Amino acid sequence: MTTSQAVLLPLPQATDRHLAGTKAATLAALAAHGLPVPPGVVIPAGVFARSVAAAREPPGGLALPGDVLAALVEAVRPWGDVALAVRSSAIGEDLPGASYAGQYSTVLRVRGTDALRAAVLRCWTSAFGDRVVAYSRGVGEGPAMAVLVQPMVSAAAAGVAFTADPVTGERDVVVIDAVPGLAERLVSGEVTPERWTVRGGRAHRERGAEAALDPGSALAVAELARTAARLRGAPQDVEWAVADGEVVLLQSRPVTALPVAPVPLPVEVPPGYWTRESSHAPLPWTRLTHAAYQPRMTAVRNAVGELGLLIDGVDLRDIGGLEYLRIVPLGGREPVRLPDWAVPLAFRLVPALRRRVRECVAAIRADIPMRHVDLWTDEWRPRLEVCVATLRDIDLGLLDDDALERHAESALRLFGVGLSIHFRLHLALAMVLRQLALACRELLGWDDQSWLRLVAGTSVRSTEPARALAELAAHVAARPRLRRLVEDPASDVLAEDAEFAGRFTDYLRRYCCRTLSYELAEPAIDERPDLVLALLRHQLAAGYDPQAREEELAGRRAAAAAEARAALAGHDVAARERFETALSRALAAYPVREDNEFHTISGPGALVRRAVLELGDRLTRRGLLPDPAAAFHLRPPELLAALRTGDDLRVPAARRAGERIWAMANPGPASYGTPPLPPPSMASLPAPARFANEAFLWALDRILAPAPGQGGDQRVVHGIAASPGSYTGVVRVIHDETGLGRLCAGEVLVCPMTSPVWSVVFPSVGALVTDAGGTLSHPAIIAREYAVPAVVATGDATTRLRDGQVVTVDGTKGQVRIVR
């Protein structure tokens, strides 16, 4: 037996997963059946185990034995002068219940003995990374790592192929994403891949800016993937490359969390007029998220009652799996249309109306709206900060089942409390901001764009994560070696620079325990360190300077205030005092619109998500769920009951996953029912009650504004002017939070809507265009906080614009012009 045979395994012999790791063992088995797999050699897991045992504090002190390195150099010599791919092959990865996709290191383009040693050590070190430890929490095994070394293929095209549709669950299709050259451009999000679907013997190209395959090569990729799936006995996620005209297999693993077939839902429309609530729920909620948000209706009902508004609140219903909203009239029934002369009588004679009007007058005279703003600053925010931080820092893996149940219930209660405060603040802010808008319109003739200049840039807490990331970017920029590591997407900077890793981990803990989406099944920011690193690279490339931005916006505010005061110089003292009072109150209230969101929604939401994932992990290990993510298809009481009783939840989870898939494929109309009559004139109400109810309608219109309609010029997209300025740049269409990693610095972000947490990506954005929203919607406010030109409420920009187009966004006129 030669030296190389003693310490290495040739790939054809590496069929034992416990020696060679799952990745290498799978390739060895498929190669044995004749599939085209590049040659390879494996450093067995036992070598890693001996190195760990010899190191005092692994991963520090890990060393590749000299005899193993010498054998490795000898083994790769027959491949000639080619670059090598060095891949981790962990024993616990690529399994049906735990893919660990993207958790371990791969090093490409390795040349030379020193680089080969470093690449192997980097693969070994990745077994101790924070992400791997968190992902494998509770498994109870120490790290076990083999390393696969192969010659890199000279790829004309590469990508991934799924032998079942990962979105719909359809089994009779192969979905292929392809890019020219190596697949790392696809994995990093650098390019939008070409998409092919193959059904039977027919290949259909769906999209792609760059051509990578033709129909014949797409069919060849599909056949390779189907063969791998047939041999492995389950749908597969296959990595492939086309080299010298032949399709070769680079990796094959089970498709995890594959949805079941669509399950039709009944479409039962309740009485009344219902409109799609697409600003927060563009897709069907998962059952867990739907249950967590149930306190919204009570929160809104209490908030409108507190201010004495002339409605009972809002009703939210699932119709065909999608969320619809109805404004509930006072008393619950649509009022009859009264002649104008009868409206004042109704306000005086109908007991319910008379009582509400009296309550509204009292609330406005007591200045309840401004008291809520003060309560936020003095009591609510400090209390929520403590609660979020306390629950955030608990290690859920150390809790027993009873303690985990109590923790989950605490997180859900906190989420409900946050929702209540959130809506109380929203209604209060409508009243305060309406005062300034009304004063500016009546005294100065200003529109929304004009008065918003007085307050834009004051939402400092919502922009705090971006400022902290800028501080981290400055730390990186001052260290050339560290900057090179950060700017190289292929490097593992967290493993190679301990000081930076500490700073980065602290940033994630302090600013990233927040959901990116209102849907709790989607990852929180701290689960996307790759995205945060990409945003850091963007800040380095763009030289983002938050202080300069803040000074620019402060200058705009000062100029707008000076302009207003100059125009008011000829007015009487009462008019000037009215303006100054309204401005002072608005400057205190406007920032709360965005700043409250972390403490009331996204922070508590991330805590609920963490608890649900821990519940899902435990139930999966007990065979009660197919995977942890399936927990989001169940309601909290069902999960907690199963933790106690051991009930099998796999069937209901699969059924509800199928229902959600059906709802996605069968979107309902924009509305159901007959639109209600316009609200009656409020002219006869006492002034405070008239102001409050008109302010509510005013704010609703500016948050959920309808699209203005498009003109005849197909090269111009019309919307609402949301943030002033003009910018010309390349379009990047991103439909939801999962696509944020594709955004490059300076691009024009085109999306359906944004949540407040997207604030952290705005230093990377050249301009913003959204399908929905108004001048007081989240995307509009965030854009103004970063001085980013923005057009909102276009209605269909995400379908009319496409990646790679060059457009000019005019945030002053509300237009997007296609340049080329």
Side-chain angles (χ1 to χ4, degrees):
M1 182 178 293
T2 67
T3 302
S4 62
Q5 290 174 322
V7 295
L8 302 176
L9 290 171
L11 185 58
Q13 300 175 19
T15 54
D16 186 340
R17 178 175 70 86
H18 296 284
L19 296 177
T22 308
K23 184 182 299 179
T26 298
L27 286 176
L30 293 174
H33 283 90
L35 271 67
V37 176
V41 63
V42 177
I43 304 173
V47 177
F48 169 75
R50 290 192 294 273
S51 182
V52 170
R56 291 185 177 181
E57 295 183 2
L62 289 179
L64 181 62
D67 61 329
V68 176
L69 180 60
L72 188 57
V73 171
E74 178 184 339
V76 304
R77 185 173 292 115
W79 301 338
D81 183 22
V82 296
L84 304 175
V86 181
R87 306 176 187 272
S88 304
S89 182
I91 290 174
E93 69 177 322
D94 291 354
L95 300 178
S99 73
Y100 285 77
Q103 305 297 317
Y104 297 110
S105 289
T106 289
V107 187
L108 303 178
R109 302 184 186 86
V110 176
R111 289 182 178 274
T113 301
D114 291 341
L116 185 57
R117 177 196 292 109
V120 172
L121 292 177
R122 184 164 147 191
C123 290
W124 282 356
T125 300
S126 68
F128 297 91
D130 291 342
R131 284 177 286 170
V132 173
V133 172
Y135 191 91
S136 59
R137 186 176 60 234
V139 173
E141 298 179 357
M145 174 73 73
V147 175
L148 170 63
V149 181
Q150 293 176 288
M152 290 191 66
V153 298
S154 179
V160 295
F162 296 91
T163 61
D165 191 311
V167 175
T168 67
E170 181 184 353
R171 263 55 170 190
D172 296 328
V173 63
V174 178
V175 179
I176 302 170
D177 282 346
V179 295
L182 293 173
E184 63 180 324
R185 298 171 65 225
L186 185 156
V187 175
S188 68
E190 179 183 337
V191 296
T192 300
E194 182 182 46
R195 167 67 59 86
W196 288 81
T197 55
V198 179
R199 288 180 173 86
R202 311 191 80 172
H204 172 66
R205 186 178 188 267
E206 293 189 353
R207 68 174 190 218
E210 299 180 74
L213 300 176
D214 56 35
S217 54
L219 289 172
V221 170
E223 180 58 29
L224 175 67
R226 285 171 174 154
T227 302
R230 185 173 65 253
L231 293 172
R232 302 304 294 170
Q236 295 290 293
D237 167 1
V238 170
E239 292 185 20
W240 54 269
V242 177
D244 298 325
E246 180 186 19
V247 181
V248 296
L249 178 67
L250 303 179
Q251 184 174 342
S252 185
R253 56 179 172 238
V255 179
T256 56
L258 189 67
V260 295
V263 176
L265 279 167
V267 181
E268 300 172 352
V269 184
Y273 179 65
W274 300 87
T275 58
R276 274 283 288 118
E277 211 297 82
S278 56
S279 63
H280 296 84
L283 298 176
W285 294 125
T286 60
R287 292 300 178 93
L288 188 286
T289 300
H290 182 268
Y293 277 112
Q294 278 302 102
R296 282 178 301 169
M297 289 187 289
T298 300
V300 175
R301 184 171 62 248
N302 291 342
V304 299
E306 193 173 26
L307 290 174
L309 301 182
L310 296 177
I311 61 170
D312 268 350
V314 298
D315 195 359
L316 296 158
R317 299 285 184 92
D318 270 4
I319 303 177
L322 293 162
E323 183 162 272
Y324 284 79
L325 175 148
R326 179 176 78 102
I327 301 295
V328 182
L330 198 62
R333 296 182 179 180
E334 293 293 341
V336 296
R337 181 64 176 176
L338 297 174
D340 290 345
W341 63 265
V343 173
L345 289 175
F347 283 139
R348 291 201 303 269
L349 299 177
V350 176
L353 286 173
R354 190 171 66 246
R355 183 175 61 254
R356 270 298 173 96
V357 169
R358 187 170 60 248
E359 292 168 348
C360 187
V361 170
I364 296 302
R365 286 178 176 169
D367 203 6
I368 294 296
M370 205 62 201
R371 284 170 54 185
H372 283 174
V373 173
D374 293 336
L375 275 171
W376 168 252
T377 303
D378 298 335
E379 295 183 22
W380 293 342
R381 185 179 67 204
R383 188 163 69 241
L384 288 170
E385 284 178 336
V386 171
C387 291
V388 169
T390 300
L391 294 178
R392 177 197 65 201
D393 292 336
I394 293 174
D395 187 340
L396 304 190
L398 300 179
L399 302 181
D400 62 24
D401 285 357
D402 290 340
L404 177 60
E405 180 174 354
R406 292 193 296 271
H407 177 90
E409 290 171 341
S410 295
L412 286 163
R413 278 196 303 273
L414 180 63
F415 193 66
V417 169
L419 287 170
S420 176
I421 293 174
H422 181 76
F423 287 107
R424 293 175 79 183
L425 287 171
H426 264 6
L427 292 184
L429 299 176
M431 309 295 134
V432 178
L433 297 180
R434 174 60 171 165
Q435 284 182 311
L436 179 60
L438 205 57
C440 289
R441 189 188 74 189
E442 293 176 355
L443 299 175
L444 301 167
W446 282 10
D447 59 10
D448 283 351
Q449 282 224 48
S450 298
W451 76 261
L452 284 166
R453 292 179 299 154
L454 295 164
V455 293
T458 58
S459 189
V460 293
R461 281 184 173 262
S462 68
T463 57
E464 187 176 7
R467 291 199 305 277
L469 194 63
E471 293 175 5
L472 189 59
H475 170 81
V476 172
R479 293 159 177 79
R481 176 185 175 275
L482 176 58
R483 180 166 188 160
R484 287 194 298 272
L485 288 171
V486 170
E487 290 179 336
D488 180 5
S491 74
D492 190 351
V493 63
L494 300 180
E496 297 191 29
D497 191 303
E499 182 190 3
F500 173 77
R503 287 174 178 263
F504 187 79
T505 300
D506 183 62
Y507 177 84
L508 294 180
R509 188 186 72 84
R510 293 177 60 194
Y511 298 106
C512 299
C513 177
R514 53 182 77 188
T515 52
L516 269 168
S517 167
Y518 295 108
E519 170 54 65
L520 301 181
E522 296 297 333
I525 303 182
D526 57 2
E527 298 173 70
R528 296 283 311 276
D530 57 324
L531 172 61
V532 180
L533 281 171
L535 296 175
L536 180 61
R537 286 194 288 271
H538 293 173
Q539 289 209 11
L540 287 169
Y544 174 64
D545 185 346
Q547 184 174 349
R549 177 191 55 79
E550 290 168 12
E551 291 174 354
E552 176 189 353
L553 289 169
R556 291 185 186 182
R557 289 196 302 275
E563 179 185 337
R565 289 171 180 137
L568 289 169
H571 287 61
D572 58 24
V573 173
R576 296 197 298 272
E577 288 182 348
R578 177 188 177 190
F579 171 78
E580 295 296 345
T581 299
L583 176 58
S584 174
R585 290 160 62 88
L587 285 170
Y590 180 81
V592 179
R593 172 82 170 95
E594 294 301 301
D595 290 354
N596 85 87
E597 200 278 341
F598 166 60
H599 303 290
T600 59
I601 305 292
S602 65
L607 297 173
V608 172
R609 173 176 167 77
R610 286 184 178 186
V612 172
L613 285 175
E614 179 65 30
L615 288 165
D617 182 65
R618 295 189 188 191
L619 295 175
T620 298
R621 284 187 273 120
R622 296 170 192 179
L624 306 178
L625 280 177
D627 57 76
F632 290 98
H633 295 300
L634 299 154
R635 300 182 181 92
E638 295 172 310
L639 293 171
L640 296 175
L643 197 66
R644 297 189 300 268
T645 64
D647 292 341
D648 193 332
L649 299 177
R650 289 176 292 182
V651 171
R655 183 180 69 251
R656 290 172 188 170
E659 290 172 348
R660 187 167 186 250
I661 292 298
W662 183 88
M664 288 181 179
N666 295 273
S671 64
Y672 287 105
T674 302
L677 297 169
S681 170
M682 299 181 188
S684 60
L685 287 175
R690 182 173 67 251
F691 166 78
N693 284 278
E694 289 179 345
F696 169 74
L697 296 175
W698 170 86
L700 199 64
D701 181 63
R702 279 150 182 79
I703 295 171
L704 304 173
Q710 302 299 327
D713 189 344
Q714 294 301 307
R715 299 189 66 80
V716 178
V717 179
H718 295 272
I720 292 175
S723 182
S726 179
Y727 180 83
T728 299
V730 177
V731 166
R732 178 68 68 184
V733 180
I734 292 177
H735 290 279
D736 55 42
E737 294 75 10
T738 61
L740 287 175
R742 297 195 297 110
L743 182 68
C744 295
E747 290 184 327
V748 175
L749 171 60
V750 180
C751 58
M753 192 66 167
T754 73
S755 75
V757 183
W758 285 34
S759 170
V760 73
V761 311
F762 270 66
S764 305
V765 172
L768 172 70
V769 181
T770 66
D771 289 342
T775 54
L776 288 180
S777 64
H778 293 306
I781 293 176
I782 297 171
R784 289 192 293 269
E785 294 304 294
Y786 287 90
V788 168
V791 176
V792 300
T794 61
D796 59 359
T798 53
T799 56
R800 293 184 62 189
L801 302 177
R802 65 178 186 275
D803 282 359
Q805 283 182 318
V806 176
V807 299
T808 296
V809 179
D810 190 329
T812 304
K813 294 182 179 179
Q815 295 181 353
V816 183
R817 179 172 293 276
I818 300 172
V819 177
R820 63 176 184 274

